[in-house]
């Protein structure tokens, strides 16, 4: 991979990297299209990174379909699909971890200890192997995006990080490879996330400024469906990710629920930019 990147750089082309865990959906394809707009060469990495999964998580059943993914990538302007084996990324004796300490603590980090260390470590490895000038990430994992931005600043990595808006199904559900786990009934219940986001925005637009009250209202709305277990409803500052008491223009509403066995997340600014 690095030899390919060096040759590409010698041809004067900038590289944009789209790091993924595969099982592509329209959200991934939109990241690939954005990458093609930003650089002369596009690399998509496809690696289900074992070190970002906890022992009780879904590493073994995470959806995988390499043939379908390569066919989908071939239809986009993707120059290289980098799909390493776990043993090549983590040979025997591997023991290094990168911790972005503070930003990894709350939200998904609270319920998934070690997850963001696994993400930061693999992303740093991918940057070193692929040597991109630009890397594109989706905003659905906005904590991940904030952590990667911090990682790049803190370690002086020479990569521009670009975030891309969440791509949604027609009924509002944020696209995710994990949506494939949902039964038909669970798929219906999963609409609660985007409904909660919409209702949160309506409450904020209607003058609610108390984050605690807004969270309580949304928690009880989500918990009304017995198949939904709320992990968190949080109002945080969009860049520091610190919990806020008062809602303002920087407030991001972040949600994590379990629907049956499937963990889903969603988020959005409480005051969408188009609302002023
Ligand atoms: O967002 C993902 O799919 C993964 O966390 C990433 C960034 C590819 C690292 O494994």
């Amino acid at each position: 991979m690095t030899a390919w990147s060096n040759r590409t750089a010698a041809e004067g082309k900038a590289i944009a990297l789209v790091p993924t865990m595969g099982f592509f959906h329209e959200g991934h394809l939109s990241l690939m299209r954005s990458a093609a707009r930003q650089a002369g060469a596009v690399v998509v990495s496809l690696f289900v990174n074992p070190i970002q999964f906890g022992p009780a998580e879904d590493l073994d059943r995470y959806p995988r379909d390499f043939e379908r993914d390569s066919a989908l990538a071939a239809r986009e302007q993707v120059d290289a699909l980098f799909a390493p084996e776990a043993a090549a990324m983590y040979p025997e004796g591997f023991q290094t971890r990168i911790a972005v300490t503070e930003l990894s603590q709350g939200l998904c980090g609270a319920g998934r200890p070690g997850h963001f260390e696994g993400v930061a470590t693999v992303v740093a490895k991918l940057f070193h192997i692929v040597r991109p000038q630009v890397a594109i990430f989706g905003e659905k994992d906005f904590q991940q995006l904030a952590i990667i931005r911090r990682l790049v600043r803190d370690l002086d990595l020479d990569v521009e990080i670009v975030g891309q808006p969440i791509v949604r199904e027609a009924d509002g559900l944020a696209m995710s490879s994990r949506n494939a786990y949902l039964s038909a009934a669970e798929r219906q219940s999963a609409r609660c996330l985007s409904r909660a986001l919409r209702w949160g925005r309506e409450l904020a637009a209607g003058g609610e400024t108390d984050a605690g009250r807004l969270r309580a209202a949304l928690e009880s709305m989500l918990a009304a469906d017995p198949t939904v277990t709320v992990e968190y409803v949080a109002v945080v500052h969009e860049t520091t990710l610190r919990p806020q008491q008062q809602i303002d223009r920087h407030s991001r509403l972040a949600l994590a629920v379990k629907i049956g066995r499937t963990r889903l997340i969603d988020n959005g600014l409480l005051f969408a930019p188009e609302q002023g």
Side-chain angles (χ1 to χ4, degrees), residues 4-255:
W4 184 93
S5 291
N6 287 341
R7 277 200 308 277
T8 303
E11 287 166 18
K13 286 187 196 156
I15 296 173
L17 170 66
V18 182
T20 82
M21 300 208 300
F23 212 66
F24 296 153
H25 49 66
E26 200 51 44
H28 294 112
L29 303 184
S30 85
L31 301 182
M32 296 176 203
R33 285 169 203 149
S34 161
R37 287 193 297 273
Q38 323 244 357
V42 175
V43 177
V44 174
S45 66
L46 193 171
F47 180 59
V48 183
N49 174 33
I51 69 165
Q52 71 185 71
F53 288 80
E57 292 185 356
D58 57 344
L59 173 62
D60 292 338
R61 63 184 194 114
Y62 195 85
R64 292 165 171 90
D65 190 340
F66 183 75
E67 296 309 316
R68 179 176 162 277
D69 283 349
S70 21
L72 285 169
R75 276 189 238 144
E76 304 299 326
Q77 286 174 47
V78 172
D79 298 282
L81 189 60
F82 175 53
E85 295 291 333
M89 291 294 272
Y90 303 119
E92 222 185 298
F94 186 93
Q95 51 192 276
T96 301
R97 291 288 186 283
I98 297 178
V100 181
T101 51
E102 204 182 304
L103 286 173
S104 301
Q105 271 166 25
L107 304 170
C108 293
R112 304 187 70 188
H115 168 67
F116 287 118
E117 284 191 17
V119 170
T121 305
V122 80
V123 167
K125 278 178 72 78
L126 290 168
F127 286 175
H128 285 296
I129 296 166
V130 178
R131 308 189 174 184
Q133 279 69 51
V134 186
I136 324 279
F137 294 85
E139 284 176 357
K140 185 169 73 67
D141 294 290
F142 87 102
Q143 185 176 16
Q144 167 173 283
L145 182 56
I147 286 169
I148 289 163
R149 288 191 197 283
R150 191 74 248 173
L151 166 81
V152 163
R153 273 206 297 274
D154 290 354
L155 297 187
D156 309 295
L157 304 180
D158 198 10
V159 186
E160 184 194 343
I161 303 301
V162 174
Q164 283 294 304
I166 297 176
V167 178
R168 296 179 179 280
E169 303 285 356
D171 66 358
L173 178 65
M175 289 200 187
S176 164
S177 304
R178 290 191 167 98
N179 292 348
Y181 296 145
L182 300 170
S183 69
E186 288 170 346
R187 174 64 186 77
Q188 287 303 306
S189 294
R191 294 158 65 192
C192 68
L193 284 165
S194 57
R195 261 193 283 128
L197 214 53
R198 205 166 47 239
W199 194 35
R201 285 189 175 130
E202 278 167 21
L203 290 173
E208 181 59 86
T209 56
D210 185 276
R213 259 201 317 257
L214 181 134
R215 287 175 37 226
L218 298 185
E219 266 166 31
S220 46
M221 180 210 123
L222 290 165
D225 180 338
T227 56
V228 177
T229 313
V230 179
E231 191 179 300
Y232 63 75
V233 173
V235 176
V236 298
H237 187 279
E238 58 178 328
T239 48
T240 65
L241 308 191
R242 294 214 179 96
Q244 291 184 308
Q245 314 298 325
Q246 290 291 313
I247 296 164
D248 63 26
R249 300 267 146 189
H250 299 287
S251 299
R252 197 170 269 273
L253 176 63
L255 309 166

